[in-house]
Amino acid sequence: MAFTVADYVLKRLTQQGVDTLFGVPAAYCAGLFDAAGRNGVKPVVTASDLEAGYAADGYARTRGLAAVAVANGAGTLSMLNAIAGAFVERSPVVVVNGGPNAANLANLTDFDVLFSHSTGQPDHDLSTYKLVTASAARAATAAAVPGAVDAAIATALKRKRPVYIEINRDIWTATCPAPSGSLPVTEPPAGTEEQLAGTIVGLVRAATSPLILVGIEIQRHGLADKVADLIAKLGVRWSVQLPAKGVLPEQGGGWAGVYAPPHSLPAANAVAQADLLVMLGCVFPSSYATLVRTGTNRIITAYDGKVKIKTAAKQNAQLGALITALVTEAAKAAPRPLPAAVDPVTPTAAGPLTYRQVFERIGAALDPSWLVIPDTFLGVHSAAHLPVKGRDGFLCGAVWASIGHSVAAAVGASFGSTRRPLVICGDGGFHMTAQALSTMVRYARNPVVVVIDNGIYAFEQFLLDADYFSDPTTQPKPYVVLNRWDFVKFANGLGVQAAQSVTTTAALDQALATAKASSAPVLIVAKVNPRDLPAELG
Ligand SMILES: Cc1ncc(C[n+]2csc(CCOP(=O)(O)OP(=O)(O)O)c2C)c(N)n1
């Protein structure tokens, strides 16, 4: 059989280690799914398009690159939220979209006849995805495919951001030359790195209490070992942003805890006291506004190909080359003595099941086999302090903060990571993507999903009127109260046999131990009082 356009796309993906294609097929992209098997790529069909996007995101975060294809318009626009999160949090997902053919476009332009799922714009998906990807391009002919695909995948690898390729739906089976040569996977150095490194290390040495804050780009660019070396050679305190938790093992001298303002002692104190903050590969969520706006005279940042030293103008610099130069520069003098690591969080006494107890019991159960995936909910503040073991044991959409991400990202992470996903999610977040349990069953995946069932969108209630949590006479906002599901029956209906509710710490311990012993997907529903708050917020 001749080599085709679909083969070209899949071959370039498999060359980068991608062995799974997430999506919900449609006539537009069926040609890609048809070619998957013969190219050694396993199609994973999810229960929704949004789930496909989150799953691809979870795979990209753990494997380094992912691919997803859904229906033009109806599927892609449903998936947009997931790809926006991947864009913000540097997750290189390749969105492969079947696009309108020449007749579709002519009918629309000449007679206002809508092609399937068209909004009436000839490029509705292309234009929309430009907003949430590092590159978005359309290939109308087979001749244009190699150039478009190579440019897109190279951009995803270099920038660690999603990319979008739209391919005329008529050409999947058209003949195409096989790929030749390898794709560039890193940006070239800017030439500024050595000089910048000299300045930065000089400032660190001159500071009284410098602190390095590690961000997610360090993991995405495979720079964790070098950053660990840099910390040791300089002898500085260090912290991580919440999305970067687990990028480095959380131990040893200088470890100051996860910095996730506004609820992140002791790291918040360490950051507040630092006279120099070196933020490597960080993304700033809204909670960083005060720190970044008021701290320009003590902050150095390096992210997204740019370095800024205090109030000086930004300069181009390639992150990997900069970190290498920093290590070389740091090696020229002895490290300063490292302060002792922060004490681990001490457990409280056993008692009724509360947010605090749920996280303490999960913390006690953690070992290096788990990949902790918290959702956006009250418990994310507690997840920041979980004793994740080793490296790359944590995955969190903490900046984009879309509820429901965790459950569906676990589908992808179960394919991309050697660790077993342990999802911790609120009941409201679980409502968003609960059908992902079905995908886990269908493809024999093994995530353990812990749903903290308090019957409300407590995070929203906390933001809008926190009195509710301390004053029994204060009623919740009516729109934060959830429809109560029978989660166990729901999970059973989707094929998850191992589903149970727990109301005590002993039962939770038992459920976690039983889950650990099984290789099937598991749902544990931890019932918590709606007025209960995690330790970090109480
Ligand atoms: C997709 C999406 N919709 C809405 C929100 C706003 N939001 C943030 S937290 C939250 C409540 C989460 O509730 P739940 O999952 O039950 O956890 P809890 O807050 O009770 O711990 C909501 C609705 C969001 N972040 N993302």
Side-chain angles (χ1 to χ4, degrees):
M1 186 182 174
F3 199 81
T4 67
V5 162
D7 292 329
Y8 191 95
V9 175
L10 292 159
K11 181 64 72 187
R12 274 305 195 201
L13 289 165
T14 56
Q15 285 174 349
Q16 301 302 329
V18 174
D19 64 2
T20 311
L21 171 65
F22 297 94
V24 178
Y28 276 109
C29 57
L32 188 68
F33 282 84
D34 284 338
R38 68 171 180 264
N39 283 283
V41 173
K42 180 183 176 63
V44 170
V45 177
T46 52
S48 78
D49 306 278
L50 178 60
E51 183 196 329
Y54 284 148
D57 174 54
Y59 183 95
R61 290 174 195 233
T62 48
R63 184 64 73 99
L65 193 72
V68 65
V70 296
N72 189 293
T76 45
L77 297 182
S78 177
M79 187 173 71
L80 194 65
N81 174 14
I83 304 306
F87 181 72
V88 169
E89 298 179 352
R90 320 300 203 245
S91 176
V93 176
V94 181
V95 178
V96 188
N97 194 20
N101 60 26
N104 295 150
L105 291 171
N107 289 340
L108 180 68
T109 313
D110 300 343
F111 301 104
D112 292 333
V113 174
L114 301 175
F115 55 86
S116 184
H117 311 311
S118 167
T119 62
Q121 302 290 329
D123 55 357
H124 58 191
D125 278 349
L126 184 66
S127 299
T128 307
Y129 271 77
K130 278 188 177 150
L131 302 173
V132 295
T133 56
S135 86
R138 174 184 266 173
T141 63
V145 166
V149 169
D150 287 6
I153 295 179
T155 300
L157 292 167
K158 287 191 284 190
R159 305 255 337 261
K160 310 299 180 195
R161 303 263 198 170
V163 294
Y164 171 92
I165 317 166
E166 182 172 312
I167 295 181
N168 172 352
R169 60 185 292 175
D170 281 357
I171 66 170
W172 291 116
T173 54
T175 306
C176 181
S180 63
S182 54
L183 298 176
V185 297
T186 52
E187 301 277 11
T192 55
E193 292 83 359
E194 283 181 20
Q195 175 253 318
L196 286 167
T199 306
I200 293 169
V201 170
L203 288 168
V204 171
R205 299 257 188 238
T208 309
S209 54
L211 184 139
I212 288 182
L213 185 63
V214 178
I216 196 60
E217 286 187 0
I218 298 303
Q219 191 267 353
R220 301 293 192 260
H221 288 280
L223 298 170
D225 282 333
K226 284 186 180 171
V227 168
D229 196 18
L230 176 66
I231 289 166
K233 287 199 162 65
L234 286 172
V236 280
R237 302 180 83 177
W238 63 283
S239 174
V240 296
Q241 294 198 285
L242 182 54
K245 179 178 170 66
V247 168
L248 298 175
E250 296 175 354
Q251 60 195 39
W255 167 237
V258 174
Y259 181 62
H263 311 287
S264 58
L265 292 173
N269 288 341
V271 168
Q273 286 156 11
D275 60 346
L276 186 72
L277 274 177
V278 183
M279 301 165 115
L280 299 176
C282 295
V283 179
F284 307 132
S286 61
S287 55
Y288 277 58
T290 306
L291 173 76
V292 176
R293 286 182 69 91
T294 61
T296 43
N297 57 350
R298 65 178 181 123
I299 288 179
I300 297 171
T301 60
Y303 63 91
D304 209 15
K306 299 265 192 287
V307 168
K308 182 165 167 56
I309 298 179
K310 297 188 177 180
T311 52
K314 280 185 183 173
Q315 292 190 59
N316 291 332
Q318 196 255 355
L319 190 61
L322 177 74
I323 304 283
T324 302
L326 285 169
V327 172
T328 305
E329 193 63 34
K332 291 179 182 169
R336 65 173 74 211
L338 276 170
V342 293
D343 289 337
V345 181
T346 44
T348 58
L353 201 51
T354 60
Y355 259 104
R356 172 186 284 241
Q357 294 292 352
V358 169
F359 277 90
E360 283 173 4
R361 299 329 304 155
I362 290 175
L366 287 182
D367 64 37
S369 70
W370 293 109
L371 172 63
V372 177
I373 310 183
D375 208 65
T376 292
F377 72 128
L378 282 181
V380 78
H381 302 290
S382 310
H385 305 298
L386 279 173
V388 166
K389 303 286 191 290
R391 187 173 282 186
D392 293 335
F394 192 81
L395 189 163
C396 183
V399 180
W400 182 246
S402 183
I403 65 172
H405 172 262
S406 60
V407 190
V411 170
S414 76
F415 287 96
S417 172
T418 52
R419 287 175 177 251
R420 183 177 186 185
L422 174 57
V423 172
I424 318 169
C425 187
D427 43 355
F430 185 68
H431 283 197
M432 292 271 170
T433 51
Q435 322 93 298
L437 293 184
S438 165
T439 317
M440 294 172 192
V441 171
R442 178 173 176 187
Y443 293 99
R445 310 320 298 165
N446 63 1
V448 175
V449 179
V450 178
V451 173
I452 301 190
D453 177 7
N454 59 3
I456 64 169
Y457 285 142
F459 202 144
E460 286 300 314
Q461 179 65 41
F462 184 76
L463 295 176
L464 299 169
D465 183 4
D467 285 350
Y468 168 77
F469 296 93
S470 54
D471 174 7
T473 65
T474 302
Q475 294 306 304
K477 297 272 184 190
Y479 49 82
V480 307
V481 178
L482 291 167
N483 182 30
R484 301 309 291 260
W485 290 14
D486 184 332
F487 291 109
V488 171
K489 278 192 186 150
F490 172 84
N492 290 159
L494 297 185
V496 176
Q497 301 309 327
Q500 63 171 305
S501 285
V502 295
T503 54
T504 65
T505 51
L508 177 57
D509 283 344
Q510 182 60 49
L512 289 167
T514 307
K516 171 89 178 158
S518 106
S519 57
V522 172
L523 179 74
I524 301 171
V525 183
K527 301 268 187 193
V528 165
N529 188 305
R531 294 185 192 267
D532 184 48
L533 279 177
E536 294 73 14
L537 306 182

